[in-house]
Amino acid sequence: MENLKDLKFNEKVQLLNRLKAEKDAVILAHYYVNEDIQAVADYIGDSFFLAQKATELKEKTIVMAGVYFMGESVKILNPSKNVLMPDIDADCPMAHMVSIQKIKEVREKYDDLAVVTYINSTAEIKAYSDICVTSSNAAKIVNKLKEKNIFFIPDKNLGDYVKKSLPDKNIILNDGYCPVHDEIDASDIKAYKGKVKIFAHPECRKEVLDLADFIGSTKAIINESGKYDDVLVVTEEGIFTELKKKFPNTNYRKLIKKPICNDMKKLTLDKIIDVIENNKNQVNVSEEISSKALIPLKRMLKLGA
Ligand code: 13P
Ligand code: SF4
């Protein structure tokens, strides 16, 4: 292979396109990855869109430009596909913030319980869950469940947001959180209230969400923000690539302390070229875990659509 670091961006794109055709590969990317990756991705989206899109692809190899739980979900939903991660160490810390033991303890306390698991979780945790959700459909799905008691894992902030939206459910919260969104301080947002529209991701703390005019997944934030002239966007920095591309006439404001997901930023274009060329960083999930985790993921695709 050519020495990648000596190539210009357009030469890398040419090489990537040649490799994709040769290896029958397609690239999915999350909005939080670096701009150059978003530029070469075949599909960009939020976690729900990516999981759903992965089930519709004809290519043999799917490169999941995101964090590990995204690659795992793609593999579980498409076990016959070759799923590659540009950086196998790009992981979401929140995915590990609940234990199987904790699930078992809560299950023992309630007969009428559904374990509702945010897609930002490990395959093992999904295997012990009743249904998965994403930030785009959590309240909608929980509302459709017959169970009154809901153990919402791992994200306490998204769980609390669902709890507020559905007062008739008994939502039991877990102590997990996204270190990037949880760190966003409401006092950095207050000054904007009433002056511009405030758009926030539901992984933010309650005090931040209380100030928001719109709360939604990355994709929902992008779609809705185009209706306004002036918007403060309260989520990870990578979203601005698509926002500016899709709605260049909206004035987007950023927080002074930029929320950055260091794991998403581990991915580079060179790593994507390398994994396709050398079939590296394959995602493998054991048959036992995969068959169990497929059930809550499929239920999510059905109820969340
Ligand atoms: P969405 O893109 O589904 O809103 O998720 C945000 C996120 O944190 C992905 O890791
Ligand atoms: Fe995980 Fe937060 Fe990064 Fe999303 S932004 S991958 S929830 S750490």
Side-chain angles (χ1 to χ4, degrees):
M1 184 169 58
E2 288 99 311
N3 198 344
L4 275 181
K5 66 173 173 26
D6 298 333
L7 298 184
K8 297 194 181 76
F9 177 72
N10 62 335
E11 293 170 326
K12 288 183 187 181
V13 175
Q14 278 172 15
L15 171 61
L16 183 64
N17 286 338
R18 203 179 73 221
L19 287 169
K20 271 169 54 190
E22 247 173 52
K23 311 275 182 182
D24 193 22
V26 61
I27 302 170
L28 295 180
H30 189 268
Y31 293 120
Y32 294 163
V33 298
N34 289 315
E35 194 166 356
D36 54 351
I37 298 176
Q38 294 194 41
V40 300
D42 296 290
Y43 303 97
I44 316 172
D46 65 5
S47 305
F48 185 72
F49 171 87
L50 295 170
Q52 197 174 41
K53 183 51 74 184
T55 64
E56 299 166 358
L57 301 171
K58 61 177 189 346
E59 288 83 357
K60 204 170 69 201
T61 291
I62 303 174
V63 179
M64 182 58 248
V67 287
Y68 196 70
F69 77 81
M70 295 178 170
E72 265 184 344
S73 300
V74 171
K75 182 68 184 174
I76 294 163
L77 285 163
N78 307 278
S80 65
K81 300 271 178 172
N82 182 35
V83 181
L84 305 178
M85 298 303 296
D87 188 316
I88 205 85
D89 296 323
D91 198 6
C92 171
M94 176 163 58
H96 305 275
M97 291 187 189
V98 65
S99 66
I100 290 164
Q101 182 55 29
K102 182 93 188 276
I103 298 176
K104 286 182 178 166
E105 280 167 23
V106 178
R107 277 204 195 277
E108 268 180 24
K109 279 193 202 154
Y110 299 89
D111 290 333
D112 172 42
L113 179 87
V115 176
V116 176
T117 300
Y118 190 24
I119 197 164
N120 298 41
S121 53
T122 64
E124 284 80 5
I125 292 298
K126 288 185 178 82
Y128 280 82
S129 308
D130 295 306
I131 189 159
C132 291
V133 296
T134 70
S135 55
S136 69
N137 56 32
K140 176 174 147 182
I141 289 182
V142 172
N143 194 33
K144 287 182 183 171
L145 300 179
K146 64 177 186 346
E147 292 86 354
K148 180 173 172 67
N149 303 300
I150 305 291
F151 185 32
F152 194 97
I153 54 175
D155 188 3
K156 63 178 176 186
N157 293 325
L158 179 61
D160 195 44
Y161 172 61
V162 173
K163 193 180 172 111
K164 224 174 115 186
S165 319
L166 302 173
D168 291 343
K169 296 278 186 189
N170 175 35
I171 303 206
I172 303 139
L173 297 176
N174 171 66
D175 208 19
Y177 57 92
C178 160
V180 180
H181 288 87
D182 193 70
E183 206 181 60
I184 299 170
D185 201 332
S187 61
D188 294 336
I189 296 164
K190 266 191 194 120
Y192 293 93
K193 189 68 193 165
K195 298 193 179 106
V196 303
K197 291 288 172 195
I198 300 172
F199 277 42
H201 194 278
E203 287 172 8
C204 296
R205 282 167 180 265
K206 182 185 176 303
E207 309 84 87
V208 171
L209 298 183
D210 285 346
L211 292 168
D213 299 295
F214 179 83
I215 299 166
S217 74
T218 49
K219 195 177 175 67
I221 288 176
I222 292 164
N223 290 340
E224 185 69 15
S225 69
K227 296 180 186 162
Y228 301 93
D229 297 332
D230 208 351
V231 178
L232 172 72
V233 182
V234 186
T235 188
E236 210 270 351
E237 182 66 14
I239 198 171
F240 289 102
T241 302
E242 183 69 14
L243 283 172
K244 287 181 195 152
K245 201 169 97 189
K246 199 156 180 191
F247 298 113
N249 296 330
T250 300
N251 182 37
Y252 291 111
R253 306 207 184 212
K254 296 185 179 192
L255 293 168
I256 294 167
K257 268 188 252 154
K258 290 181 188 158
I260 293 182
C261 177
N262 292 326
D263 280 275
M264 290 281 191
K265 301 300 186 254
K266 284 179 183 166
L267 281 61
T268 65
L269 192 49
D270 290 10
K271 288 179 184 176
I272 293 187
I273 293 171
D274 183 33
V275 295
I276 299 179
E277 163 101 41
N278 299 303
N279 198 26
K280 268 166 63 175
N281 296 352
Q282 292 177 352
V283 178
N284 288 306
V285 184
S286 77
E287 164 57 29
E288 197 200 343
I289 298 287
S290 182
S291 58
K292 288 184 186 157
L294 181 62
I295 299 165
L297 276 170
K298 275 199 161 165
R299 274 190 87 195
M300 172 190 80
L301 292 184
K302 201 168 161 215
L303 291 189

